[in-house]
Amino acid sequence: EKLVGAEITCRITKLDVTDEDVVVDRRVVLEEQARGLAEDRRAALKEGDTISGTVRSLVPYGAFIDLGGMDGLLHISDMAHTRVSKPEDVVTAGQQVEVRILKIDPETKKISLGLKQLLPEPWATVPDRFKAGQRVSGVVTRIQDFGAFVEIEPGVEGLIHISEMAWGKKVRHPSDILKQGDRVDAEILAIKPEERRISL
């Protein structure tokens, strides 16, 4: 009823002159217009732009963001400066987010998005906040054969080398002393911010 009296654009799908029968399709025209608007919007986007979107769906490797008629992928590795195990730890379906356009593939038209690129880079101020000899506390995030990585603040990890784990006894494997999730106190031995390395 709301269309009564309204002028619309439509496409003729059936025309029977004898029976004076005409069937028209309005939806196909609207879909074409929507696609045209989406293409215009896509053409206006540039790598490096900051854009607002809505989280449409979550997948194990990230989230699809509706940018107004087209989707972009926010990969799990670009959600935060810290390690993200599940996308739902950072975003939820229906959430409005500000993201940066990292890449637009000219052939596939796929849009790669980033969230962490709009957040302060934690390593930028590490030399101002941490010094050799300083005692720190953190959580063990990963165990490797050569040592254990400890997150001393979000996005900043240090390494306790296996040779620095105990006095007077040979440690066969870091897992003999530490396990993932342990909270430990450690001392900073050296900082190499240009390499993003902290020895603990």
Side-chain angles (χ1 to χ4, degrees):
E1 289 183 3
K2 65 181 180 181
L3 290 176
V4 173
E7 185 174 305
I8 62 169
T9 303
C10 51
R11 178 165 294 154
I12 297 170
T13 58
K14 182 183 176 187
L15 178 61
D16 191 329
V17 179
T18 309
D19 293 341
E20 297 184 353
D21 185 17
V22 181
V23 179
V24 297
D25 190 338
R26 175 172 175 256
R27 188 178 66 183
V28 69
V29 176
L30 294 176
E31 287 173 351
E32 284 177 1
Q33 289 172 345
R35 276 197 299 273
L37 287 172
E39 283 303 315
D40 290 346
R41 189 167 165 78
R42 189 193 302 273
L45 297 178
K46 299 189 303 296
E47 292 178 8
D49 283 355
T50 298
I51 188 170
S52 181
T54 306
V55 179
R56 187 173 62 78
S57 62
L58 302 177
V59 289
Y61 52 87
F64 285 101
I65 312 295
D66 182 356
L67 303 173
M70 59 195 158
D71 278 354
L73 174 64
L74 173 59
H75 194 270
I76 194 168
S77 62
D78 288 306
M79 287 186 168
H81 290 294
T82 56
R83 278 184 171 75
V84 178
S85 55
K86 301 192 300 292
E88 50 266 36
D89 292 339
V90 181
V91 294
T92 55
Q95 180 183 347
Q96 284 279 323
V97 289
E98 289 280 316
V99 288
R100 176 163 292 164
I101 298 172
L102 303 180
K103 187 179 180 189
I104 302 172
D105 191 309
E107 292 186 10
T108 64
K109 306 286 195 235
K110 287 182 178 176
I111 302 170
S112 300
L113 305 170
L115 187 59
K116 74 178 183 183
Q117 288 76 7
L118 297 176
L119 303 172
E121 166 56 66
W123 275 91
T125 55
V126 160
D128 301 328
R129 292 177 289 114
F130 298 105
K131 301 283 183 263
Q134 181 179 343
R135 293 206 165 192
V136 292
S137 178
V139 176
V140 177
T141 56
R142 290 176 291 149
I143 300 285
Q144 302 286 347
D145 291 340
F146 53 84
F149 286 94
V150 177
E151 187 175 63
I152 58 176
E153 71 171 29
V156 179
E157 285 184 341
L159 172 68
I160 303 176
H161 193 269
I162 191 169
S163 63
E164 301 291 348
M165 287 192 169
W167 293 105
K169 69 171 182 176
K170 185 169 175 61
V171 180
R172 290 181 298 109
H173 193 273
S175 59
D176 294 339
I177 292 183
L178 296 171
K179 64 180 186 295
Q180 190 171 329
D182 282 353
R183 176 160 283 281
V184 296
D185 294 319
E187 184 175 314
I188 296 175
L189 301 179
I191 301 176
K192 293 183 178 176
E194 66 282 356
E195 298 176 20
R196 297 188 172 208
R197 286 187 180 180
I198 296 178
S199 300
L200 301 172

